[in-house]
């Protein structure tokens, strides 16, 4: 138990009659890169909001870094960095100024904050854009500034919600490479939500497949493939995440058509 | 026996001295533990500073300041011409000559306090209408809430920052008027006049804070800044234009005949007074006119018996304040009510990205 950084047990979140997250149980170890994979509206963002203490679960319990996000949201936010989907910045401040403001909110001393901001700007590949106002940044640059913003507080865990949207292909490679190196070198646990199969496959140690609020399967890609295709004829073949993903979806849509016809 | 023992314990002086000695360290400990459990110290201060900086950098506030400064100069000018026209009329307000700067007008422009009553709501609405929804539309709100700060810091910082801007503006304006008056009239305000001007300023700040809170509420409630601005302006227009119309209709319908008994005329007057009291702008104008014109002795209807034996003359400040105490408490409670409304709406809201 000690080794897992994120521990989710039987979490359910309902909005009225709609169940966004349905009895989710998940545990993520320290230093792991975990990919939450699923289509739009599967409950990935809701799960993330609950982990950050930004919304409360209807039932179930969670621990993140040994803390309960419902009772100690501020302590959780000191240790966990969250990059929301389509992050925004104060347009009339430059990139480093935005980072320094975040540092102030985290109580980091001014001197240290400025040094750290410049360092992180270079690290995420925005070294050339130091004096530019954040309002002039492109979407991909904003996303990279978002990663720097998350790293300002020196987090133990980072949670990224669809972080690669709007970045060009070579930018995505750099971005994902950076995430992997953060995890390997600094032991940061990464929770990564995406609906891009290839990206998840590239960086994640383990994957959870999330459909309609339920976690259908979890594990590393090889074991997921084994689980799924063990009984099929082509068991010798190499399977990618794509095959696994579509296998689940086909299963889901079949269920649905059955229930409609019944 | 036991009861007397307990009474005895509470009655001793030593017990209360002990309690009082302990209460301050206890409070201090609680404060420290509250701060330790939450955000880093100084976070709220830097949030407020950032908001104030944003206000002063924005075109909106600069434009507002220019408008208000111009009206201030205009009404000061009309007040000065009116004062030089009337010269030294021997009325009872003679001792409060300095307050004329705020209340007199030669007719071309309304006097200072009417102007503030008119522009104050606009100032409040324009400082608050995009407080929360613009942060959400820019995608900065979810990032802000992911930082280790209590959630209410966000809305409290916005409120405090706007209030600071308003207070600064009003103090600058009023002191400018006082300074200009000193230079042109050549007589300094008496201490009681100064206190009246000070209480007028504080009241104006509360009044603008009311509209500020209302528009912050709309900014939590509505996603589009244009909608929330319009909602705020709609409420303001309702109270300045439409409500008096409706109230007049009601009053006309309820008007007693000229031959009605004195009692029903009195009741009708009270009804009219009550209908008008609902408007926050009416509360404000009653309170300010009483504060700035010491000769105002009553606000509601009075009977002849009540008037009998009254000597017309200015009221001391304490009595003027007492006279408008209901208006003051009404305005303050409305302001607090609007703040609570926006606070609760914000705290309950689930913040998703964009």
């Amino acid at each position: 138990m000690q080794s897992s950084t994120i521990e989710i047990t039987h979490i359910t979140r309902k909005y009225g009659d709609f169940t966004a997250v349905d009895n989710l149980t998940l545990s993520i170890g320290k230093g792991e890169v975990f990919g939450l994979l699923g289509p739009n509206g599967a409950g990935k963002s809701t799960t993330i909001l609950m982990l950050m203490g930004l919304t409360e679960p209807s039932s179930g319990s969670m621990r993140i870094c040994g803390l309960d996000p419902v009772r100690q949201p501020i302590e959780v936010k000191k240790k966990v960095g969250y990059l929301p989907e389509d992050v925004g910045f104060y347009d009339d401040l430059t990139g480093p100024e935005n980072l320094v403001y975040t540092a102030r909110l985290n109580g980091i001393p001014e001197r240290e904050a400025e040094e750290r901001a410049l360092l992180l700007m270079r690290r995420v590949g925005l070294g050339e854009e130091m004096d530019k106002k954040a309002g002039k940044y492109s979407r991909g640059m904003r996303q990279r500034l978002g990663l720097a913003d998350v790293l300002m507080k020196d987090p133990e865990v980072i949670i990224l919600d669809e972080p690669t949207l709007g970045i060009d292909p070579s930018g995505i490679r750099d971005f994902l490479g950076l995430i992997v190196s953060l995890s390997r070198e600094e032991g940061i646990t990464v929770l990564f939500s995406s609906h891009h199969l290839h990206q998840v496959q590239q960086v994640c140690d383990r994957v959870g497949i999330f459909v309609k609020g339920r976690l259908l399967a979890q594990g590393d890609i090889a074991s997921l493939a084994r689980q799924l295709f063990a009984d099929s004829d082509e068991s010798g073949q190499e399977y990618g995440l794509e095959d696994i993903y579509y296998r689940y979806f086909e299963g889901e849509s079949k269920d649905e058509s059955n229930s409609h016809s019944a | 026996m036991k009861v007397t023992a307990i009474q005895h314990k509470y009655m001793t002086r030593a017990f209360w001295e002990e309690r009082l000695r302990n209460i301050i360290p206890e409070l201090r400990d609680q404060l420290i533990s509250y701060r330790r459990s939450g955000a880093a110290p100084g976070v709220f201060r830097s949030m407020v500073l950032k908001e104030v900086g944003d206000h002063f950098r924005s075109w909106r506030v600069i434009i507002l300041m220019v408008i208000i400064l111009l009206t201030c100069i205009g009404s000061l000018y009309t007040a000065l011409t009116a004062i030089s026209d009337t010269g030294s009329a021997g009325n009872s307000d003679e001792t409060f000559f300095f307050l004329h700067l705020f209340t007199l007008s030669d007719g071309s422009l309304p006097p200072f306090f009417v102007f503030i009553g008119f522009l104050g709501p606009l100032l409040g609405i324009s400082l608050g209408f995009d407080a929360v929804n613009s942060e959400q539309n820019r995608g900065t709100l979810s990032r802000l809430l992911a930082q280790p700060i209590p959630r209410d810091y966000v809305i409290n910082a916005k409120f405090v920052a706007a209030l600071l801007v308003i207070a600064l503006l009003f103090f600058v304006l009023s002191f400018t008027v006082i300074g200009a008056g000193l230079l042109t009239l050549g007589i300094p305000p008496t201490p009681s006049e100064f206190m009246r001007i000070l209480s007028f300023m504080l009241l104006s700040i509360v009044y603008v804070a009311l509209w500020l809170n209302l528009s912050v509420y709309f900014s939590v409630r509505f996603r589009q800044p244009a909608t929330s601005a319009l909602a705020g302006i709609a409420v303001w227009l309702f109270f300045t234009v439409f409500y008096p119309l409706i109230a007049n209709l009601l009053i006309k319908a309820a008007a007693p005949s000229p031959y009605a008994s004195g009692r029903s005329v009195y009741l009708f007057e009270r009804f009219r007074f009550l209908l008008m009291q609902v408007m926050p702008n009416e509360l404000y104008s009653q309170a300010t006119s009483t504060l700035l014109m010491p000769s105002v002795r009553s606000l509601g209807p009075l009977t002849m018996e009540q008037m009998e034996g009254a000597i017309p003359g200015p009221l001391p400040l304490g009595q003027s304040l007492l006279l408008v105490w209901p208006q003051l408490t009404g305005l303050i409670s409305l302001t607090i009510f609007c703040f609570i409304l926006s606070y609760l709406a914000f705290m309950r809201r689930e913040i998703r990205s964009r």
Side-chain angles (χ1 to χ4, degrees):
Chain A
M1 287 308 244
Q2 203 68 14
S3 62
S4 63
T5 308
I6 300 176
E7 190 77 49
I8 300 175
T9 34
H10 303 297
I11 281 285
T12 300
R13 174 67 166 113
K14 286 184 178 161
Y15 292 97
D17 288 339
F18 175 68
T19 307
V21 177
D22 189 6
N23 201 14
L24 171 69
T25 299
L26 185 67
S27 108
I28 299 170
K30 186 167 164 44
E32 201 175 8
V33 182
F34 190 90
L36 268 182
L37 189 62
N40 299 326
K44 294 175 303 211
S45 294
T46 307
T47 308
I48 288 171
L49 288 184
M50 287 193 287
L51 277 174
M52 291 302 296
L54 293 176
T55 186
E56 287 184 14
S58 308
S59 66
S61 70
M62 294 171 286
R63 306 297 283 181
I64 181 161
C65 302
L67 298 163
D68 180 358
V70 177
R71 291 178 179 278
Q72 302 152 286
I74 292 173
E75 295 304 312
V76 166
K77 287 168 191 168
K78 279 180 186 162
K79 295 184 171 179
V80 183
Y82 165 50
L83 178 61
E85 190 181 341
D86 194 10
V87 66
F89 289 91
Y90 296 109
D91 291 346
D92 46 350
L93 301 180
T94 64
E97 280 168 355
N98 266 296
L99 297 185
V100 168
Y101 182 57
T102 303
R104 265 184 222 146
L105 297 183
N106 282 280
I108 299 170
E110 206 74 357
R111 189 83 165 274
E112 195 187 325
E114 278 163 25
E115 281 169 17
R116 203 170 157 74
L118 298 182
L119 187 87
L120 285 172
M121 285 293 280
R122 280 190 214 101
R123 188 150 186 201
V124 296
L126 291 172
E128 316 272 288
E129 321 288 343
M130 297 281 198
D131 302 323
K132 222 172 167 183
K133 297 264 196 277
K136 298 250 180 351
Y137 279 22
S138 69
R139 176 129 184 224
M141 281 153 77
R142 268 209 317 266
Q143 218 63 31
R144 276 188 271 173
L145 184 60
L147 186 61
D149 185 66
V150 161
L151 294 173
M152 277 307 282
K153 64 171 94 162
D154 199 9
E156 290 176 25
V157 180
I158 54 180
I159 299 180
L160 312 168
D161 198 355
E162 304 277 5
T164 53
L165 283 178
I167 310 184
D168 56 69
S170 71
I172 289 179
R173 207 179 49 224
D174 297 345
F175 193 90
L176 295 178
L178 192 60
I179 291 171
V180 172
S181 72
L182 280 172
S183 165
R184 300 280 176 275
E185 289 161 21
E186 294 173 30
I188 299 178
T189 310
V190 181
L191 179 64
F192 181 106
S193 110
S194 179
H195 54 251
H196 285 285
L197 307 165
H198 299 291
Q199 293 167 14
V200 171
Q201 196 165 4
Q202 271 174 44
V203 295
C204 295
D205 302 322
R206 280 197 309 141
V207 175
I209 294 179
F210 224 71
V211 179
K212 287 186 184 152
R214 274 179 298 152
L215 187 69
L216 293 183
Q218 59 167 315
D220 58 90
I221 290 160
S223 76
L224 276 180
R226 244 178 285 126
Q227 243 173 290
L228 267 175
F229 301 102
D231 50 339
S232 64
D233 308 334
E234 316 128 275
S235 47
Q237 207 180 313
E238 274 283 309
Y239 286 100
L241 191 54
E242 204 162 347
D243 303 298
I244 300 167
Y245 190 64
Y246 289 124
R247 184 79 175 225
Y248 274 110
F249 271 121
E250 278 157 26
E252 268 299 303
S253 49
K254 261 178 214 154
D255 285 352
E256 202 150 88
S257 53
N258 285 344
S259 62
H260 277 301
S261 57
Chain B
M1 287 304 278
K2 236 178 193 174
V3 173
T4 53
I6 289 168
Q7 274 176 350
H8 186 67
K9 185 186 149 203
Y10 280 112
M11 246 121 73
T12 58
R13 198 175 151 178
F15 171 78
W16 286 107
E17 277 178 354
E18 179 76 19
R19 278 301 293 261
L20 284 176
R21 240 199 314 273
N22 285 339
I23 212 158
I24 290 164
E26 264 174 36
L27 277 177
R28 197 188 55 213
D29 287 349
Q30 268 181 6
L31 209 68
I32 288 171
S33 71
Y34 172 74
R35 286 175 69 167
R36 282 206 183 131
S37 71
V43 168
F44 187 67
R45 195 165 158 267
S46 47
M47 287 176 80
V48 171
L49 284 179
K50 185 203 162 284
E51 294 292 335
V52 172
D54 281 355
H55 279 311
F56 279 114
R57 269 194 295 268
S58 74
W59 275 106
R60 178 187 358 159
V61 171
I62 294 169
I63 291 169
L64 272 171
M65 294 236 169
V66 169
I67 291 176
I68 288 177
L69 209 70
L70 283 179
T71 55
C72 169
I73 292 169
S75 55
L76 187 64
Y77 174 75
T78 59
L80 286 175
T81 50
I83 286 171
S84 62
D85 285 351
T86 46
S88 52
N91 57 19
S92 58
D93 278 358
E94 189 65 359
T95 41
F96 293 94
F97 196 63
F98 209 83
L99 293 177
H100 286 344
L101 279 176
F102 290 84
T103 56
L104 266 192
S105 157
D106 65 352
S108 56
L109 271 178
F112 187 75
F113 82 102
V114 175
F115 248 128
I116 295 295
F118 181 73
L119 287 176
L122 268 189
L123 180 69
I125 290 170
S126 57
L127 282 179
F129 76 91
D130 64 346
V132 174
N133 50 16
S134 78
E135 289 251 4
Q136 178 146 31
N137 291 342
R138 280 184 294 179
T140 47
L141 190 58
S142 51
R143 199 167 57 85
L144 202 57
L145 290 179
Q147 307 307 329
I149 49 170
R151 192 175 197 172
D152 58 349
Y153 271 27
V154 176
I155 194 156
N156 292 352
K158 294 212 174 271
F159 173 67
V160 171
L163 206 64
L164 280 177
V165 172
I166 293 165
L168 186 74
L169 184 66
F170 278 159
F171 272 85
V172 166
L173 276 183
S174 298
F175 286 139
T176 311
V177 172
I178 292 177
L182 268 175
L183 285 177
T184 50
L185 297 178
I187 43 166
T190 60
S192 100
E193 280 175 319
F194 185 72
M195 290 309 290
R196 277 174 186 274
I197 295 169
L198 211 64
S199 39
F200 161 68
M201 271 189 265
L202 291 177
L203 179 65
S204 306
I205 292 168
V206 170
Y207 182 56
V208 177
L210 162 67
W211 291 96
L212 170 75
N213 280 327
L214 191 70
S215 71
V216 169
Y217 170 70
F218 286 135
S219 87
V220 178
R221 180 71 189 66
F222 298 116
R223 198 60 187 270
Q224 294 303 324
T227 316
S228 60
L230 211 60
I233 289 173
V235 173
W236 174 61
L237 271 183
F238 175 76
F239 278 121
T240 46
V241 179
F242 299 113
Y243 184 79
L245 263 177
I246 298 167
N248 268 333
L249 276 179
L250 281 176
I251 287 164
K252 266 188 192 152
S257 77
Y259 310 109
S261 68
R263 184 170 168 72
S264 62
V265 171
Y266 178 73
L267 283 178
F268 165 69
E269 288 296 327
R270 284 210 57 96
F271 169 67
R272 178 151 89 180
F273 188 64
L274 270 178
L275 267 185
M276 288 302 176
Q277 290 296 80
V278 176
M279 294 189 283
N281 39 347
E282 183 65 24
L283 291 181
Y284 174 74
S285 77
Q286 282 176 2
T288 46
S289 55
T290 308
L291 284 176
L292 289 177
M293 291 186 254
S295 55
V296 174
R297 296 176 61 97
S298 70
L299 290 168
L302 283 180
T303 58
M304 285 308 279
E305 293 90 78
Q306 282 170 305
M307 295 280 287
E308 205 178 77
I311 304 159
L315 290 179
L317 175 62
Q319 291 299 311
S320 286
L321 276 177
L322 213 57
L323 184 59
V324 291
W325 203 247
Q327 280 82 352
L328 287 180
T329 43
L331 271 181
I332 292 171
S333 59
L334 267 179
T335 308
I336 293 172
F337 174 75
C338 284
F339 180 72
I340 291 173
L341 206 65
S342 56
Y343 185 90
L344 287 181
F346 181 70
M347 296 302 276
R348 284 183 177 176
R349 173 87 171 272
E350 186 181 274
I351 309 292
R352 294 197 162 245
S353 48
R354 295 221 183 190

